[in-house]
């Protein structure tokens, strides 16, 4: 892993909790230069300090990916970084479990999930593709197993948004692959993160730990 990643620049979204946080620490000793994106500056600083304590290198980029102005500023900052991006780990995500009958006056449930789970990674990809082609880079999409199964009730907003980016990436993957850009989607089962905490039924169900997912990535 060190041979493959030493000197490479790895962009990780959703880097302050759960899978993203565990992945940042997992990669700290590989010699990779981590570019960490999340909403909370204080939490980003904590993760950065832990990476540096292990001898790693990390730069932080506070950004609410659902805010178009902040996202555009992030892309501008990334474009100004020397060395480009070698690997993009699309990890940031939002989950909502709610009956459609409780969502009749909550159109924002759908816009929020689409903004974070679909539009944001698409916009990031559109900006990064020239760099990824030049660097023969790699895109790793952290997805959900449910995307490939029959859609369950109460998860319409989440299911549609995750499926949208999954289909988008699968569609463009062939074009990217012909230019030397690798693409990987990891369809995860339940993972023990704060995303599942609001769902009581999940609290006692078997789930992967974020550290195990980080090792898988």
């Amino acid at each position: 892993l060190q041979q493959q990643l030493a000197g490479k620049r790895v962009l990780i979204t959703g880097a302050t909790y759960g899978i993203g946080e565990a992945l940042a620490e997992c990669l700290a000793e590989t010699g990779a230069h981590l570019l960490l994106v999340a909403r909370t500056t204080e939490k980003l600083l904590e993760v950065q300090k832990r990476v540096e304590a292990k001898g790693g290198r990390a730069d932080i980029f506070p950004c609410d990916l659902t805010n178009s102005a902040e996202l555009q500023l992030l892309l501008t900052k990334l474009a100004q970084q020397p060395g480009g991006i070698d690997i993009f780990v699309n990890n940031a995500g939002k989950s909502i479990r709610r009956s459609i009958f409780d969502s009749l006056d909550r159109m924002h449930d759908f816009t929020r999930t689409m903004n974070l789970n679909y539009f944001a990674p698409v916009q990031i990809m559109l900006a990064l593709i020239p760099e990824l082609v030049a660097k023969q880079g790699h895109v790793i999409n952290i997805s959900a197993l449910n995307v490939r199964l029959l859609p369950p009730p109460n998860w319409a907003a989440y299911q549609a948004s995750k499926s949208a980016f999954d289909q988008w990436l699968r569609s463009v993957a062939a074009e990217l692959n012909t230019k030397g850009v690798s693409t990987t989607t990891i369809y995860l089962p339940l993972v023990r993160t704060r995303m599942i905490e609001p769902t009581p039924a999940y609290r006692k169900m078997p789930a992967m730990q974020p550290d195990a997912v980080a090792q898988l990535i």
Side-chain angles (χ1 to χ4, degrees):
L1 192 61
Q2 287 180 319
Q3 290 179 337
Q4 292 293 325
L5 292 182
K8 297 293 181 66
R9 296 166 62 82
V10 182
L11 175 65
I12 305 172
T13 60
T16 51
Y17 291 95
I19 295 170
E21 180 180 16
L23 180 61
E25 293 196 52
C26 181
L27 298 180
E29 299 179 40
T30 64
H33 180 185
L34 307 182
L35 309 176
L36 308 179
V37 178
R39 287 181 299 174
T40 309
T41 302
E42 293 77 10
K43 184 64 175 173
L44 277 170
L45 288 169
E46 291 178 12
V47 177
Q48 182 186 42
K49 288 179 181 178
R50 290 202 297 273
V51 169
E52 292 175 345
K54 293 184 176 182
R57 180 183 178 189
D59 289 333
I60 62 171
F61 300 87
C63 178
D64 180 353
L65 296 176
T66 66
N67 183 304
S68 59
E70 290 190 28
L71 177 53
Q72 188 56 56
L73 180 60
L74 168 68
L75 296 177
T76 300
K77 290 180 179 179
L78 291 176
Q80 295 171 348
Q81 294 287 308
I85 306 293
D86 295 279
I87 300 170
F88 169 40
V89 182
N90 177 48
N91 171 67
K94 181 177 181 63
S95 175
I96 293 178
R97 180 183 185 275
R98 183 168 287 122
S99 167
I100 194 63
F101 294 104
D102 295 326
S103 301
L104 303 181
D105 60 348
R106 296 179 60 91
M107 184 60 192
H108 57 275
D109 283 354
F110 303 95
T111 56
R112 288 172 180 171
T113 49
M114 287 298 287
N115 283 341
L116 183 56
N117 296 347
Y118 177 58
F119 290 120
V122 167
Q123 189 170 346
I124 293 171
M125 282 290 297
L126 294 177
L128 293 185
I129 282 174
E131 291 185 18
L132 291 168
V133 171
K135 306 273 286 185
Q136 300 289 276
H138 195 158
V139 179
I140 302 175
N141 179 37
I142 309 305
S143 191
L145 185 61
N146 282 349
V147 166
R148 306 305 298 272
L149 303 175
L150 290 174
N154 300 317
W155 293 95
Y158 177 72
Q159 189 81 11
S161 62
K162 294 296 284 188
S163 298
F165 187 71
D166 178 73
Q167 288 289 319
W168 185 89
L169 186 59
R170 290 168 66 191
S171 180
V172 304
E175 296 180 74
L176 294 175
N177 297 163
T178 62
K179 299 292 187 179
V181 179
S182 301
T183 55
T184 300
T185 296
I186 301 177
Y187 298 99
L188 293 172
L190 202 62
V191 181
R192 189 72 61 198
T193 68
R194 66 176 189 160
M195 185 181 290
I196 71 171
E197 290 177 1
T199 306
Y202 285 169
R203 294 171 189 167
K204 295 183 179 180
M205 290 182 65
M208 290 185 71
Q209 295 296 327
D211 289 345
V213 178
Q215 291 293 330
L216 178 63
I217 296 169

